[in-house]
């Protein structure tokens, strides 16, 4: 079985103002349909996630996987 790339960090709560998950930045529909999407569709959505996460009103309380990986790579 092949692993499916996912931005999920197990902080699953939707910002009611933006409709984006506080943890990963996806919408409910994107989360629900993730497994059926093509790798290209998933990558296109993942490219939008950093900008989406900037719009949510509340930040996750713990360091996200994305932030940890950026920190480890030395990206500001």
């Amino acid at each position: 079985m092949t692993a499916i790339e996912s931005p999920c960090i197990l902080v699953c709560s939707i910002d009611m103002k933006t409709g984006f998950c506080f943890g990963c930045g996806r919408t409910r529909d994107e989360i629900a349909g993730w497994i059926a999407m093509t790798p290209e569709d998933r990558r296109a959505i993942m490219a939008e996630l950093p900008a989406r996460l900037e719009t949510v009103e509340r930040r996750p309380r713990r360091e996200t996987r994305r932030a940890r990986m950026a920190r480890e790579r030395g990206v500001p």
Side-chain angles (χ1 to χ4, degrees), residues 1-69:
M1 178 180 253
T2 305
I4 293 179
E5 188 174 19
S6 173
C8 181
I9 62 165
L10 304 176
V11 178
C12 304
S13 184
I14 301 295
D15 177 19
M16 298 311 284
K17 181 177 177 184
T18 63
F20 300 138
C21 173
F22 290 112
C24 69
R26 295 178 293 173
T27 65
R28 289 178 191 264
D29 290 340
E30 290 167 346
I31 293 167
W34 197 253
I35 193 119
M37 292 181 188
T38 66
E40 293 77 20
D41 289 340
R42 289 192 293 267
R43 283 188 206 107
I45 291 169
M46 286 194 291
E48 297 175 16
L49 299 181
R52 290 182 185 185
L53 287 170
E54 292 297 320
T55 68
V56 297
E57 291 188 348
R58 176 180 59 156
R59 300 284 185 257
R61 294 182 192 183
R62 65 183 178 92
E63 183 179 40
T64 65
R65 180 172 173 253
R66 181 180 293 112
R68 180 180 49 81
M69 291 173 68

